Amino acid sequence: MSANGKPIYRFGEFELDPGERRLLMHGVAITLTPKVFDTLVLLVERAGHAVSKDELMHALWPRGFVDESNLTKHIWLIRKALGGENEARCIETVPKLGYRFVAPVERVERVDEAHGGIPTVAPVPISPAPATDEAEAPRGEDARRPAPAWIAGHDAERRSADAVVPSVARLPVAIATHRRRTTWVATAMAAIVAALAVAWFLRRESASTVAAGRGHAIAIVGFNNLSQNAKDAWLGPALGEMLATEITAGGRVYVLPDELVRSACGDLAAPLAGGYAAASLAALRRRLGADYVLSGGYFVAGAADRPHVRLDLALQDTHSGRAIATLARDAPVADLPALVAEVGSGLREPLGIGTADRGALKQIAHAQPPTSDVARRIGFALDALHRDDAARARDELLDTIAEAPGYAPAYSYLAQAWSALGYGAKAAAAAEQAAAHAEGLPEEQRLHIDLQRAATQRAWNKAAEAARHLVALRPENPDYRLRLIEVLVAAHEDSDAAAALDALRSLAGAAGDPRVELAAAAVARARDDVKGAAAHAREALALAQARDAPGQIADAQHRLGTALYYLGDSDAAQQTLRAAISAYQHIGNPHGEAAAREALGKVLVDTNRGDDAREEYQRAMALFQSIGDFGGTTGVYSDLSRMLWSAGDLDGAKTAAQHVLDLARQTGDLRMQGWGLQALATAASDDAASDEVLEDYRETIALDEKTADESGVVWHLAAYADVLRLRGDLAQADAACKRASDVVARVGDPQFRLVLLFTCAEVSLDRGDVAAAERGLAETLSLAQSTRDPVMTSNAEATLAEIDMGRHRWTDALARLERAADGFAKAEAKTGIADAEAMRALCADALGDAKVRDAAVSRATGLRRGITERQEVFMVDIALAELRARAGDAAAIGDLHALAKDAEARHWLVWSLESRLAAYGVLASRHDPAAGKLRAEIVSSARERGFGWVLARLGEDRA
């Protein structure tokens, strides 16, 4: 087509004439360089459609490789020429692809004069898009030379910074560019191990020239893969990790936790060639307290057998807003270690670090991947961890170790992957290997490995020692102090944790850091100060909101919701946890969301919303399974098992408990193996208190002692004592109670003391020490009410009612049982409701209140039909049979004898005696001759096994 035959394009006040190579605005020519003009024509010709950078580069520079920064500068110049104050209104950046001309365009076709010379106009409507930060003009040196072209590209992959979990969440672990996201809401030691398993990734810090009392804090933003090729995705995380090692050598700077950085920049527009726009940079400083931001991108090109990588970086000072260094380097990918060393040297000077000495350089070399192939595998592993794909990371790391068996960091990363998958024993083994190969690494990294090894072994005193060494080495690094506090809490060194918290607060900048308040909440919770924990979590939330830090907002909401749950404010807990779930979804943090959903499920269970709780548990499980977190999946199964048990669904509870045991054995989690064993033993004891059940409990207790799980020791000794009580082995049951009492004082959670108090009170009652039983039950009732535990409150009320019934105080017993039934109903504990209603029927019958009796019998009978438990509901069967016998049912006495025989066959001597005692009461009231013989049998058996309470109700002494 001749020049005169080429179309003319009109958009807004502009007219673009490619044939005459002219751009007019209201008839006035705008001067553009030839390549900039060609770029504009290419975009306008494809108006409304995305044009890739590769296509533009090939069309504009067909004869050879030209740095992509030239294209970026051309786009900027076009935007300035077309837009003035709104320079991006015509050209939209398409993340990870290229650009799109979005202004409405009219194409005017020229027609030869021989055809009448009448132009044909064809409109091409396109909706304009908002401008991005990339539209901003280059600053400083970037305005005088081609700027490095890259787009951060982190939106689709952003994650926030746990959990502790609590859910169990975890304190954010410090650093690198691509790291697995963890939450911090510390309520479970397993979560603490997972957080500390990544201790190798922590970085260094010393004195700062930026602000008095602070070190240089640098945020490394995930580097963008400009080649858009999945096979090059490893370079981003690998470069981030390797550069972090380079610039932190010598202790002048420390790198901020990656999970915090990702959540902080997730909603910011992609940075320019010279770094972030001023507003975005200010946001990062506010959210992170960062002194510097390092951002950049890389482009891989060249022959497949010897590719080259182009690396463009911008280092910005968040105080001044200027770029203090821009670096552009090109090298073969095979020379990546040398490239990183060169770039690291270029970054150290503007950071005021200076040149590392020969010894330091040698240590850095030991820390870096020995070859580009090892770096590639490490990069893919880090990318997988960043995407919550620990299984893929594990596979990459196993291959890495096969290729470089002496490279200590690979073992440390592997420990993190195993821990994320819930394989505690394998994580500990990998951490041990990391320690065995740590010689030659910088001292700081060796200390991280020591901390990681101790944490995975749950050797908390050793972990605390390593953490203290890190604090002494870099006293101004807040991340090390946070880690120390977490370890001290895990070690139950609450006073030392409080002292470490005070020391952390003395650091400049600590007053505005939400993580400090979250650490304070963890210390308060360890001291059973639930109100204090809630207050600190609320303050953490306010600080996070002031910083506009989405990841920390989510973590603070999670912690606050959990604290409100323990305070009994269920409505506020639900509202806050739902807000946390929404926040975790927004930042793309599946682990945090799963932990928050699990916590919400517990709240819903306690508020009589079992169906909703089951739905939250199932969602949490699906999330844990989607990221391969077997530990999280195991925890949800244990929650489901407890819920189903309370609802009277024994078969469902057993199935869930079997899943717990199978998963725990698969992952080598001894603590959850113990839980699964005891749950199945408890379920089995509902069928029979057999020797096998006792052996399972003994094995469970041994596992607890092996893992130094004192909470588990208390819980399982209490359950073991209860089974011994059922069997009539009261002396052994009492010994188990005393053994647990020696341990419970060291356990912070009041739930364990509650269970022990109640169980031992029942043992005392059966032995005939009614005064001790009443004291224990009164203490149980008081503690259960203060912790707002409706089930234990109701259990205590029902057992005190049993004592009143034994003393014929029917009115008092009836009042207690009404309160117990209400409490069980609130907790949806169907078995408890059935027991309370059956006992209420007996009291009402003794008082001659047929209306109350019949209503209670009806409720107990209806509930009994839907309960699959045996032992837990045996009292209902006895009471209903006794009431039928009292009403003159001839078969009822036989039913009571059958119940006694069945209980004896199941080794439930307690229920065998209660069945026979009920039969004796009815026979004695009728003056039946069989009553005397039955009484003698009961007295003999009770005296032989020490059942003083049975003897007391018969008016017999215990001798």
Side-chain angles (χ1 to χ4, degrees):
M1 182 179 292
S2 67
N4 286 335
K6 290 185 178 180
I8 297 173
Y9 300 94
R10 294 171 182 166
F11 45 92
E13 61 265 49
F14 297 95
E15 182 177 286
L16 177 66
D17 188 342
E20 295 295 332
R21 297 191 66 79
R22 182 172 56 200
L23 174 66
L24 302 174
M25 182 175 73
H26 298 304
V28 178
I30 297 175
T31 301
L32 297 176
T33 63
K35 286 292 185 186
V36 174
F37 186 92
D38 291 341
T39 306
L40 175 60
V41 171
L42 286 168
L43 291 171
V44 171
E45 286 178 341
R46 299 275 299 279
H49 300 281
V51 184
S52 72
K53 293 179 182 180
D54 287 345
E55 183 177 350
L56 290 167
M57 295 282 287
H58 180 74
L60 295 168
W61 296 281
R63 294 187 177 182
F65 178 79
V66 175
D67 184 53
E68 189 178 313
S69 61
N70 287 279
L71 175 60
T72 301
K73 187 173 183 180
H74 288 178
I75 297 296
W76 173 71
L77 289 170
I78 293 169
R79 285 171 167 163
K80 293 296 288 184
L82 299 182
E85 293 300 318
N86 302 307
E87 62 258 34
R89 65 180 182 176
C90 292
I91 301 176
E92 174 189 67
T93 299
V94 181
K96 300 187 179 183
L97 179 60
Y99 304 94
R100 178 188 293 113
F101 198 90
V102 295
V105 173
E106 290 183 344
R107 176 187 173 107
V108 181
E109 295 288 351
R110 280 195 176 92
V111 182
D112 291 344
E113 291 181 359
H115 292 82
I118 301 172
T120 302
V121 179
V124 184
I126 303 168
S127 298
T132 67
D133 274 0
E134 187 162 341
E136 186 170 318
R139 298 181 299 276
E141 293 182 348
D142 296 330
R144 300 190 296 272
R145 66 188 183 197
W150 60 276
I151 303 171
H154 46 254
D155 289 345
E157 299 172 16
R158 58 185 180 255
R159 299 289 185 269
S160 91
D162 214 240
V164 179
V165 190
S167 35
V168 201
R170 303 155 197 172
L171 274 171
V173 289
I175 110 110
T177 0
H178 290 287
R179 192 75 24 73
R180 185 177 191 280
R181 161 75 181 95
T182 51
T183 38
W184 191 76
V185 193
T187 56
M189 293 300 103
I192 294 176
V193 173
L196 294 173
V198 294
W200 189 85
F201 304 114
L202 298 171
R203 298 295 180 189
R204 298 153 285 277
E205 162 196 26
S206 66
S208 171
T209 58
V210 176
R214 290 195 58 225
H216 295 74
I218 183 168
I220 300 181
V221 179
F223 299 141
N224 189 36
N225 177 9
L226 298 175
S227 11
Q228 300 298 318
N229 196 325
K231 70 181 180 61
D232 302 323
W234 64 274
L235 270 164
L239 285 166
E241 185 70 7
M242 294 170 75
L243 286 173
T245 299
E246 289 283 339
I247 64 178
T248 53
R252 284 283 182 182
V253 301
Y254 70 95
V255 182
L256 289 168
D258 175 61
E259 59 274 16
L260 295 183
V261 175
R262 285 200 305 272
S263 65
C265 67
D267 61 342
L268 300 179
L272 300 173
Y276 277 100
S280 296
L281 197 63
L284 287 175
R285 173 161 177 76
R286 182 180 68 253
R287 295 174 178 183
L288 297 169
D291 300 304
Y292 301 106
V293 173
L294 178 63
S295 56
Y298 61 92
F299 184 85
V300 179
D305 59 341
R306 189 165 174 77
H308 277 238
V309 58
R310 166 77 179 193
L311 179 62
D312 291 299
L313 297 178
L315 178 64
Q316 294 174 274
D317 184 333
T318 64
H319 298 266
S320 66
R322 68 185 182 90
I324 61 174
T326 56
L327 299 173
R329 297 290 188 274
D330 181 276
V333 172
D335 295 339
L336 184 65
L339 173 63
V340 169
E342 180 184 355
V343 173
S345 178
L347 291 171
R348 281 196 292 270
E349 183 177 351
L351 286 170
I353 297 172
T355 304
D357 59 36
R358 185 182 299 273
L361 289 174
K362 187 176 180 180
Q363 290 180 336
I364 292 172
H366 276 91
Q368 299 288 30
T371 67
S372 61
D373 286 339
V374 172
R376 180 174 58 83
R377 290 196 180 279
I378 291 291
F380 275 129
L382 290 174
D383 180 64
L385 290 170
H386 171 64
R387 298 170 187 272
D388 293 297
D389 190 353
R392 181 163 65 89
R394 172 203 59 199
D395 295 342
E396 289 286 354
L397 291 165
L398 289 172
D399 286 340
T400 303
I401 290 167
E403 186 172 338
Y407 183 47
Y411 289 105
S412 192
Y413 292 125
L414 181 60
Q416 180 192 359
W418 280 127
S419 182
L421 291 169
Y423 288 83
K426 293 185 183 228
E432 192 71 38
Q433 287 293 321
H437 294 90
E439 185 177 357
L441 291 176
E443 178 187 7
E444 209 159 348
Q445 293 187 5
R446 293 198 304 272
L447 286 172
H448 291 317
I449 288 175
D450 288 343
L451 174 55
Q452 182 185 41
R453 175 175 58 175
T456 55
Q457 295 173 349
R458 298 181 181 275
W460 299 117
N461 291 333
K462 291 182 179 179
E465 181 182 358
R468 286 191 175 98
H469 280 307
L470 282 168
V471 171
L473 189 65
R474 307 287 177 233
E476 295 174 3
N477 187 336
D479 295 309
Y480 293 173
R481 295 183 182 274
L482 287 167
R483 189 64 57 239
L484 174 61
I485 293 168
E486 187 179 42
V487 169
L488 291 171
V489 168
H492 302 295
E493 300 291 345
D494 302 339
S495 296
D496 288 350
L501 177 63
D502 290 339
L504 172 60
R505 289 190 184 281
S506 69
L507 291 183
D513 191 340
R515 295 179 301 162
V516 176
E517 291 304 319
L518 288 174
V523 173
R525 184 70 185 89
R527 291 181 154 185
D528 293 331
D529 180 9
V530 182
K531 288 184 178 179
H536 288 299
R538 192 173 280 110
E539 178 64 18
L541 178 57
L543 290 173
Q545 289 170 333
R547 280 190 169 191
D548 188 26
Q552 295 176 36
I553 289 172
D555 290 340
Q557 288 169 330
H558 188 173
R559 171 57 66 84
L560 178 58
T562 303
L564 291 171
Y565 162 64
Y566 282 115
L567 286 172
D569 192 346
S570 299
D571 291 341
Q574 288 180 52
Q575 181 180 359
T576 307
L577 287 170
R578 291 187 192 280
I581 290 168
S582 178
Y584 283 130
Q585 288 175 330
H586 178 70
I587 60 179
N589 176 6
H591 190 279
E593 182 187 347
R597 287 192 180 281
E598 185 179 10
L600 178 58
K602 294 176 182 178
V603 177
L604 293 170
V605 166
D606 285 352
T607 53
N608 197 24
R609 295 174 60 184
D611 290 341
D612 292 338
R614 185 180 289 105
E615 182 176 348
E616 291 300 333
Y617 284 146
Q618 288 171 345
R619 289 178 177 177
M621 187 181 300
L623 285 165
F624 281 131
Q625 290 172 337
S626 71
I627 59 177
D629 188 341
F630 290 104
T633 303
T634 304
V636 177
Y637 270 124
S638 70
D639 292 331
L640 279 168
S641 182
R642 281 188 287 263
M643 184 188 77
L644 293 169
W645 182 277
S646 296
D649 185 356
L650 177 61
D651 293 335
K654 286 168 64 177
T655 300
Q658 187 62 56
H659 281 301
V660 170
L661 184 57
D662 292 344
L663 284 169
R665 283 174 171 165
Q666 178 182 339
T667 60
D669 187 338
L670 298 182
R671 293 162 66 89
M672 291 309 292
Q673 282 184 47
W675 191 94
L677 274 172
Q678 70 84 21
L680 290 171
T682 301
S685 70
D686 192 71
D687 188 64
S690 63
D691 294 341
E692 290 76 15
V693 168
L694 292 178
E695 181 56 35
D696 282 347
Y697 273 117
R698 285 191 284 267
E699 183 180 350
T700 300
I701 295 164
L703 284 170
D704 294 333
E705 292 173 338
K706 184 175 181 178
T707 57
D709 182 4
E710 293 186 325
S711 299
V713 169
V714 172
W715 189 278
H716 299 139
L717 275 172
Y720 180 56
D722 193 54
V723 175
L724 289 168
R725 180 185 71 84
L726 282 172
R727 287 170 59 100
D729 298 331
L730 297 182
Q732 293 182 53
D734 188 55
C737 280
K738 290 177 179 176
R739 182 179 167 189
S741 297
D742 293 338
V743 181
V744 75
R746 299 193 295 271
V747 177
D749 194 328
Q751 181 66 32
F752 297 96
R753 179 166 178 76
L754 262 179
V755 171
L756 183 63
L757 278 171
F758 177 72
T759 301
C760 295
E762 287 203 307
V763 172
S764 295
L765 180 60
D766 283 335
R767 297 184 73 198
D769 191 348
V770 182
E774 288 180 312
R775 288 194 301 272
L777 291 168
E779 191 174 353
T780 300
L781 186 59
S782 175
L783 183 57
Q785 289 173 336
S786 67
T787 57
R788 301 184 183 231
D789 187 328
V791 172
M792 291 307 298
T793 298
S794 299
N795 276 331
E797 289 277 25
T799 307
L800 285 167
E802 182 184 339
I803 295 174
D804 288 335
M805 291 169 69
R807 291 170 171 170
H808 295 226
R809 298 200 295 239
W810 305 109
T811 301
D812 293 342
L814 190 61
R816 286 192 181 277
L817 289 168
E818 287 172 351
R819 293 195 292 270
D822 289 342
F824 284 130
K826 290 178 181 178
E828 278 194 328
K830 294 180 181 178
T831 302
I833 303 171
D835 284 338
E837 292 293 349
M839 293 169 68
R840 284 184 70 231
L842 289 173
C843 292
D845 186 71
L847 292 169
D849 190 337
K851 182 179 179 180
V852 172
R853 178 199 64 202
D854 293 345
V857 166
S858 176
R859 283 192 290 270
T861 302
L863 287 166
R864 179 65 183 91
R865 282 195 291 265
I867 296 174
T868 60
E869 293 166 296
R870 292 186 179 88
Q871 191 272 125
E872 290 288 329
V873 82
F874 213 87
M875 178 64 204
V876 177
D877 295 337
I878 294 172
L880 294 177
E882 181 179 354
L883 287 165
R884 291 201 311 274
R886 288 181 181 180
D889 186 339
I893 293 294
D895 290 342
L896 286 168
H897 283 302
L899 286 170
K901 186 176 181 179
D902 180 55
E904 190 170 356
R906 298 176 187 275
H907 303 284
W908 297 339
L909 185 58
V910 166
W911 295 126
S912 178
L913 286 171
E914 291 295 336
S915 298
R916 288 189 283 171
L917 194 61
Y920 165 75
V922 175
L923 292 174
S925 67
R926 298 175 182 172
H927 306 289
D928 191 310
K933 180 180 179 182
L934 182 56
R935 177 190 173 96
E937 291 174 357
I938 296 171
V939 169
S940 175
S941 181
R943 191 162 282 152
E944 177 186 354
R945 305 301 289 270
F947 276 90
W949 178 234
V950 172
L951 294 172
R953 282 179 286 169
L954 288 172
E956 298 280 342
D957 59 50
R958 298 168 57 189

